[in-house]
Amino acid sequence: MNDQTAQPTSREERLAGLPLREDLRGQHPYGAPQLDVPIMLNVNENTYGVPQDVQEAITRSVREAVSSLNRYPDREFTELREALAEYLGHGLTPEQLWAANGSNEVLQQLLQAFGGPGRSALGFPPTYSMYPLLAAGTGTAYLKGVRDADYELTADSAARQVRELAPNVVFLCSPNNPTGTALGLDVVEAVYEASEASQAIVIVDEAYAEFAQLGTQSALTLLPGRPRLVVSRTMSKAFALAGARLGYLAAAPEVTDALRLVRLPYHLSAITQATALAALRHRASLMSEVEAIKHQRDRIVKELERLGLRPASSDSNFVFFTGLADPQRIWRGLLEAGVLVRDVGIPGSLRVTAGTESETSAFLSRLEELLEEEQA
Ligand SMILES: *Cc1c(COP(=O)(O)O)cnc(C)c1O
């Protein structure tokens, strides 16, 4: 039984032995650590949880949906699209709305329809880590644009890169994850114009739009007359429904027609639709949580400045900060105190989600201790 020794031993080797697509070989899956710690401030969830009245409304709505689970759900999720259009405003009609299981699936469907083999998608790193993974999964080439100093992206620079690279899809993340800052609408306008030649679909990922600072404008205002512009949103952050998986977009009606060609039939379960509808109808208490989160976010920015660090201006529910001599040591020190934050792999930096008041206090006081140790 000598050839036993030639048998692959590790899972990695066994995976390599499978007839996997060449372009997926050596790729790594999305892998933000899911550790069981008391204070989880690493994936920008809504830390305040689902308010009691919303929980009860969802429970009632789901209970009703359960009675007809023997039937396929409304394939067109008509009621949900109406509710989403009403929520977004800006004169949007239900036929301009589309939803899927998280905005990740919305983005994947966009790439299935407008990307794919022989086509390319442009992103501007550091940005949302899922863009290259979704591109890989759909066989779309991922092009990496460059940012200016302090991770800013100006209209001129973005437009020039779009003209040079002529992508089929452009990802603009606003506010950008991991840096937290919103893009000016001038950038979106310039990119859209520059993409005329390559007829690119321009996606503005506004996952954190509800946390924007006063005066920040949504790209929704730019939709009229721009049939290649798409604005994606999610209920995972402001609506505290990361576990429910509901993302959506607003665009020209013909964009949603394109997505019907690639979506799986009945992709939005009756339970998901019932959950999202109940949350949208009872959003008042959710929106007051958003205000509380913004308050904690602003508090983090102020405190980090006091500690001599450099937080980026944040339009989101998280803060990206630089100025750390040894971010890994700080990350570990925080974890030892039960506080999980995100090391996004950018030198001297970490990212933290705004927690509840007590979670934020725990983060700030532990961080201060760790920085003092450094000085001692
Ligand atoms: C969290 C996040 C999303 C949301 O993903 P879902 O699939 O809706 O949970 C989308 N885009 C960005 C930039 C994010 O940070």
Side-chain angles (χ1 to χ4, degrees):
M1 301 297 281
N2 247 351
D3 42 358
Q4 278 281 336
T5 52
Q7 290 293 311
T9 47
S10 71
R11 281 279 285 278
E12 214 169 299
E13 282 170 326
R14 279 186 276 164
L15 171 59
L18 289 176
L20 187 67
R21 269 167 40 191
E22 283 307 323
D23 60 340
L24 291 181
R25 286 182 187 275
Q27 299 260 1
H28 297 282
Y30 175 82
Q34 279 196 309
L35 305 177
D36 192 13
V37 298
I39 303 179
M40 294 194 283
L41 305 177
N42 69 325
V43 286
N44 303 337
E45 292 152 333
N46 181 326
T47 46
Y48 281 68
V50 183
Q52 196 62 36
D53 65 324
V54 180
Q55 283 188 34
E56 282 160 17
I58 290 174
T59 306
R60 281 194 302 274
S61 182
V62 167
R63 187 177 299 131
E64 230 169 88
V66 167
S67 68
S68 47
L69 277 184
N70 58 313
R71 301 291 177 191
Y72 282 112
D74 174 9
R75 195 171 52 213
E76 287 297 312
F77 44 101
T78 312
E79 244 187 300
L80 178 57
R81 279 162 50 218
E82 284 165 6
L84 289 168
E86 188 260 326
Y87 167 64
L88 287 183
H90 293 275
L92 291 165
T93 59
E95 57 175 359
Q96 292 183 270
L97 270 290
W98 183 258
N101 297 284
S103 53
N104 275 288
E105 188 178 65
V106 171
L107 300 176
Q108 182 179 53
Q109 291 174 339
L110 285 163
L111 287 176
Q112 286 176 312
F114 300 106
R119 294 190 168 203
S120 63
L122 171 64
F124 294 91
T127 190
Y128 189 38
S129 60
M130 278 307 297
Y131 301 152
L133 293 180
L134 292 167
T138 56
T140 311
Y142 186 68
L143 309 174
K144 291 180 179 165
V146 294
R147 287 176 180 265
D148 312 306
D150 291 332
Y151 312 112
E152 301 262 344
L153 188 59
T154 63
D156 280 352
S157 161
R160 183 179 40 74
Q161 296 179 66
V162 168
R163 273 192 300 270
E164 281 172 15
L165 296 165
N168 302 98
V169 175
V170 182
F171 287 113
L172 295 174
C173 192
S174 178
N176 188 45
N177 181 1
T179 46
T181 316
L183 283 174
L185 290 192
D186 60 321
V187 181
V188 181
E189 287 179 275
V191 163
Y192 190 87
E193 238 168 76
S195 65
E196 185 70 36
S198 64
Q199 285 288 296
I201 294 290
V202 177
I203 304 169
V204 185
D205 182 347
E206 293 190 348
Y208 301 94
E210 287 89 349
F211 300 102
Q213 295 183 37
L214 221 60
T216 307
Q217 283 212 328
S218 165
L220 291 172
T221 59
L222 299 178
L223 283 174
R226 290 186 179 84
R228 292 179 287 105
L229 183 62
V230 174
V231 181
S232 82
R233 297 278 187 102
T234 181
M235 294 184 80
S236 292
K237 310 288 161 59
F239 278 84
L241 287 180
R245 311 305 300 130
L246 198 289
Y248 55 102
L249 63 71
E254 55 270 32
V255 170
T256 66
D257 292 336
L259 300 180
R260 274 189 192 83
L261 302 174
V262 297
R263 63 102 176 267
L264 296 173
Y266 316 106
H267 69 290
L268 266 191
S269 85
I271 301 296
T272 306
Q273 295 184 40
T275 302
L277 270 168
L280 282 161
R281 287 180 185 139
H282 293 81
R283 61 178 175 264
S285 48
L286 281 160
M287 292 305 124
S288 71
E289 266 186 359
V290 165
E291 288 311 307
I293 293 166
K294 285 161 75 174
H295 181 74
Q296 294 307 317
R297 181 241 357 245
D298 294 341
R299 177 181 165 219
I300 294 172
V301 169
K302 228 178 288 160
E303 283 297 299
L304 293 180
E305 278 169 352
R306 187 181 64 78
L307 296 175
L309 300 168
R310 292 190 303 280
S313 169
S314 174
D315 291 284
S316 55
N317 67 342
F318 59 88
V319 179
F320 172 82
F321 56 103
T322 58
L324 297 168
D326 185 353
Q328 272 101 28
R329 189 187 74 87
I330 301 287
W331 187 86
R332 273 194 310 273
L334 286 166
L335 186 58
E336 279 159 18
V339 182
L340 182 60
V341 301
R342 189 74 170 270
D343 179 356
V344 290
I346 299 175
S349 316
L350 288 173
R351 189 193 72 189
V352 63
T353 307
T356 60
E357 181 166 14
S358 67
E359 288 174 334
T360 302
S361 300
F363 159 72
L364 288 169
S365 61
R366 180 64 182 150
L367 177 65
E368 186 162 12
E369 280 171 19
L370 289 163
L371 291 172
E372 277 163 7
E373 278 170 27
E374 226 160 52
Q375 249 125 55

